[in-house]
Amino acid sequence: MTLNQFAAEKRLAIFDDLRNNREPRDGSFDAAVLKEAKTKEAPQMGTTRYEPDAVHFEFIYPDPTATAIILVVTLAPPERIVFLPVPSWVVENIWQGDISGTYHFESDARRLMRELQAELEPAENLKWFGPQPAKRRE
């Protein structure tokens, strides 16, 4: 099962629980926030955020007369989550879903692959979680 499949399955199951006025079947959440949220309108799906060891689902309970409530449900994933950045050698030309790459000498390509593999190590990969600065073209 991929991370997207895992997240979609869990998010939909939890959303179903919340729409039916039940506590989430999986994960941890703030019970006081859920209690207050139940006094608002029906929940809506919010964002999904990832950390190396957690998936955070946000569910929004709107209230037209006051501030909306956001319930965060946190699950532990079955394995560590890593972010795979688009390698620096990939030219990000996107046309109808296709991403093209660039040509390199074999020795340079092997060096770039070692750099990419290093990005999977826990300390190196942590920098990819959270806001990212805009990419600049040279």
Side-chain angles (χ1 to χ4, degrees), residues 86-101:
V86 173
S88 61
W89 71 87
V90 174
V91 175
E92 295 182 55
N93 292 333
I94 300 173
W95 178 251
Q96 296 182 346
D98 294 328
I99 300 174
S100 61

Side-chain angles (χ1 to χ4, degrees), residues 46-114:
T47 62
T48 299
R49 294 180 292 110
Y50 298 106
E51 291 182 7
D53 59 354
V55 179
H56 305 281
F57 300 119
E58 293 181 356
F59 298 94
I60 303 163
Y61 286 80
D63 184 339
T65 63
T67 304
I69 300 292
I70 298 176
L71 174 70
V72 178
V73 180
T74 301
L75 279 86
E79 63 180 281
R80 183 171 73 97
I81 297 171
V82 297
F83 179 79
L84 294 175
V86 173
S88 61
W89 71 87
V90 174
V91 175
E92 295 182 55
N93 292 333
I94 300 173
W95 178 251
Q96 296 182 346
D98 294 328
I99 300 174
S100 61
T102 58
Y103 294 98
H104 291 274
F105 287 119
E106 181 178 356
S107 59
D108 193 35
R110 290 185 182 281
R111 178 188 57 80
L112 293 168
M113 291 300 293
R114 285 191 302 274

